[in-house]
Amino acid sequence: MQFLVYGAGAVGSVLGGMLSLNHHDVCLIGRDAHVSAVNADGLRIKSTTAEYHAHPIAAVSIPSDIAVRTECAILAVKTQDLAASIDTLAAHLPAGLPVICVQNGVAAEASVAPRFPHVYGGVVRMTCSMVQPGHVSFQSGGRVVIGKHPRGTDAFARSFAGALTAAGFDAVVSRDIMADRWLKVAVNVQSVFHAVIDPRDHDTNEFHALKAGILEETRRVFKAAKIRARSCDGRDPSIDAMIEELHRPRARRTAHGVKLRNSVWQDLYLKRRSIEAEFIHGPVIALGEAHSVPTPYNRAALELVQQCHREQLGPEALRLSDVMAAIERGGGAR
């Protein structure tokens, strides 16, 4: 197949790079520094079990320089950059082209659908990192859930999932992709705490209780709003299972292997002009307001990461006690 990856950051480069290694034609569209590095020395991909080198692989900065015939587009830009990206894609690609949205949050597919009639959701259940141009890392055996928007499946979804499986991913087709998306939101609401809290606090029972607290709050919101948040095949942990696991006492662990940073951490570290946390916590907060469910955990998480971004504090700038105090106040750190 011929793939265009628009937004070749961490997720887009991992997917595109592994597809290229499995003999698909891939063109990455990314930032200038990343494109220059890939064109000079290929794409270096590191997983928790192996290292790969995708070379050569086409990479350009603007869609007008697309180097391969395109059968489908993987739209991997950040959610906050989605609107402009849709306009750009629509200007350079045929309207009938299948588009796979791999953003976090729940808004991407509905935003793309008015311009492209064949839209698919891709829920990426693995952490991908890119903090150096030309280099990406990910969890080996990463899981990707594919489904047709707004629900159902078809031959293309099955074909794309098959291509990902052959490239080394654990890919599966969902008939209700939004249920898988909402479950991923529940996973992602915990990401801010990993991104803003000092790692010395990460292996404490109090830190796990904090994550359980935001999951319990999110579960209450979903229940009130009648949101289906579940795995298409039962292989991804439910919200209940995640909470139960977090409440189990555990010993401290020793860090080893490839360091993988979530997207919020990368937004802060790279001092990006915007962050995507609003598109994770925002829908939960809005649903809470609509259904009279308090959301102090989600509000504090969003305000804290916005504060760290605004003041350029960088990742891991807060202690657990700062975050707990902010939740009690119902707002950001002071």
Side-chain angles (χ1 to χ4, degrees):
M1 296 180 71
Q2 288 85 31
F3 295 98
L4 171 69
V5 180
Y6 189 63
V11 171
S13 293
V14 166
L15 295 178
M18 296 303 288
L19 286 167
S20 176
L21 287 167
N22 202 47
H23 310 297
H24 294 282
D25 290 328
V26 175
C27 182
L28 307 177
I29 300 182
R31 293 184 175 92
D32 290 343
H34 185 51
V35 167
S36 296
V38 171
N39 285 328
D41 191 37
L43 178 65
R44 303 281 180 172
I45 309 169
K46 182 181 291 186
S47 79
T48 48
T49 58
E51 295 187 23
Y52 310 90
H53 186 201
H55 184 62
I57 180 172
V60 298
S61 298
I62 54 177
S64 59
D65 292 335
I66 293 171
V68 300
R69 186 172 69 86
T70 302
E71 288 185 273
C72 68
I74 300 173
L75 185 55
V77 298
K78 294 280 191 177
T79 307
Q80 58 267 32
D81 298 322
L82 198 57
S85 300
I86 294 169
D87 289 339
T88 303
L89 272 182
H92 290 90
L93 298 175
L97 197 77
V99 177
I100 305 106
C101 302
V102 295
Q103 287 72 25
N104 288 321
V106 293
E109 291 85 357
S111 299
V112 174
R115 307 292 290 275
F116 291 90
H118 303 295
V119 179
Y120 300 81
V123 179
V124 179
R125 297 294 305 251
M126 58 180 169
T127 302
C128 301
S129 297
M130 184 179 78
V131 295
Q132 178 184 353
H135 296 256
V136 290
S137 56
F138 73 106
Q139 292 168 316
S140 59
R143 183 160 160 82
V144 186
V145 183
I146 303 297
K148 188 173 176 59
H149 172 77
R151 59 184 300 120
T153 185
D154 62 11
F156 175 80
R158 293 187 291 271
S159 176
F160 182 56
L164 290 176
T165 298
F169 298 105
D170 176 10
V172 64
V173 176
S174 173
R175 293 184 177 275
D176 187 2
I177 191 63
M178 292 310 297
D180 292 276
R181 277 229 174 273
W182 281 110
L183 181 60
K184 180 69 186 302
V185 167
V187 173
N188 287 144
V189 295
Q190 307 166 74
S191 296
V192 162
F193 297 145
H194 283 275
V196 303
I197 293 177
D198 190 303
R200 289 174 290 179
D201 295 328
H202 285 190
D203 274 333
T204 65
N205 289 329
E206 292 79 9
F207 181 76
H208 294 296
L210 173 67
K211 295 202 298 177
I214 199 168
L215 278 173
E216 289 164 348
E217 176 180 286
T218 301
R219 180 177 61 182
R220 288 192 294 271
V221 170
F222 286 178
K223 182 177 180 180
K226 295 182 170 55
I227 293 291
R228 288 166 54 89
R230 63 186 66 178
S231 171
C232 62
D233 58 2
R235 290 176 52 209
D236 296 309
S238 66
I239 298 177
D240 290 345
M242 288 189 282
I243 293 170
E244 182 180 353
E245 176 64 23
L246 286 167
H247 279 309
R248 291 177 181 170
R250 65 197 68 210
R252 288 183 177 270
R253 299 172 297 173
T254 300
H256 65 282
V258 178
K259 288 186 178 181
L260 296 169
R261 310 294 194 181
N262 67 43
S263 61
V264 181
W265 190 100
Q266 293 174 70
D267 286 344
L268 296 175
Y269 178 80
L270 296 171
K271 294 182 172 60
R272 289 176 173 146
R273 59 182 176 80
S274 59
I275 53 177
E276 74 170 359
E278 177 183 344
F279 299 94
I280 302 300
H281 300 280
V284 179
I285 294 168
L287 285 171
E289 291 177 345
H291 296 276
S292 301
V293 179
T295 54
Y297 281 85
N298 278 278
R299 289 179 183 276
L302 179 56
E303 291 181 19
L304 285 169
V305 73
Q306 287 174 331
Q307 178 181 353
C308 288
H309 179 255
R310 183 174 60 251
E311 298 177 6
Q312 295 192 347
L313 300 179
E316 303 168 353
L318 305 177
R319 296 307 300 262
L320 178 61
S321 57
D322 300 326
V323 177
M324 295 306 301
I327 291 170
E328 292 176 4
R329 289 193 301 269
R334 294 175 186 170

